[in-house]
Amino acid sequence: MSLAEGVLQLVEETAMREKAQRVKLVVLEIGRLSSVEPDAMRFCFEAVANGGIAQGAALEIIDMPGEGWCMTCSSKVPMEASYDACPRCGGYQVQATGGMEMRVREIEIE
């Protein structure tokens, strides 16, 4: 819920700065390794936006793939979960390098 409130605060500040009447669309990038569940974010965003300038705004979520660096085989590898083994060598010394982020990519206002 607090993540949704943070996103809403950023959206509302932007809308007020731009003197918008309402927010139509919010686009979020959420990394697979971020521990943020997209469906939960949709539900919470709708709940916290109720009654405000972003009420009824569409929330589009872009899934950002996980990525890591395997220290065993010195390879850049895709990751589905934080503690997965390296898909190339099977080693567990994989350091996440991408897919941990959550950010507002776009806000459409009118």
Side-chain angles (χ1 to χ4, degrees):
M1 189 65 80
S2 64
L3 289 174
E5 289 171 341
V7 169
L8 180 63
Q9 182 179 358
L10 182 93
V11 167
E12 287 178 338
E13 288 171 359
T14 301
M16 288 172 54
R17 184 179 64 240
E18 299 298 323
K19 297 175 178 51
Q21 299 298 313
R22 74 180 192 105
V23 176
K24 293 175 60 176
L25 171 70
V26 177
V27 180
L28 291 180
E29 291 179 345
I30 298 180
R32 287 187 193 153
L33 306 179
S34 69
S35 300
V36 176
E37 177 59 43
D39 289 337
M41 176 58 76
R42 282 186 184 91
F43 176 81
C44 292
F45 183 80
E46 184 178 330
V48 298
N50 192 23
I53 193 168
Q55 180 174 336
L59 181 63
E60 180 181 324
I61 296 178
I62 299 171
D63 180 44
M64 302 300 289
E67 191 173 82
W69 178 258
C70 178
M71 293 182 258
T72 305
C73 67
S74 300
S75 299
K76 184 177 176 181
V77 295
M79 294 179 70
E80 291 298 318
S82 294
Y83 300 105
D84 279 353
C86 173
R88 293 207 173 123
C89 73
Y92 283 91
Q93 292 183 322
V94 182
Q95 181 176 4
T97 58
M100 300 164 291
E101 65 279 343
M102 182 184 90
R103 71 182 185 114
V104 177
R105 180 175 179 173
E106 182 180 330
I107 302 169
E108 186 178 323
I109 57 176
E110 61 177 34

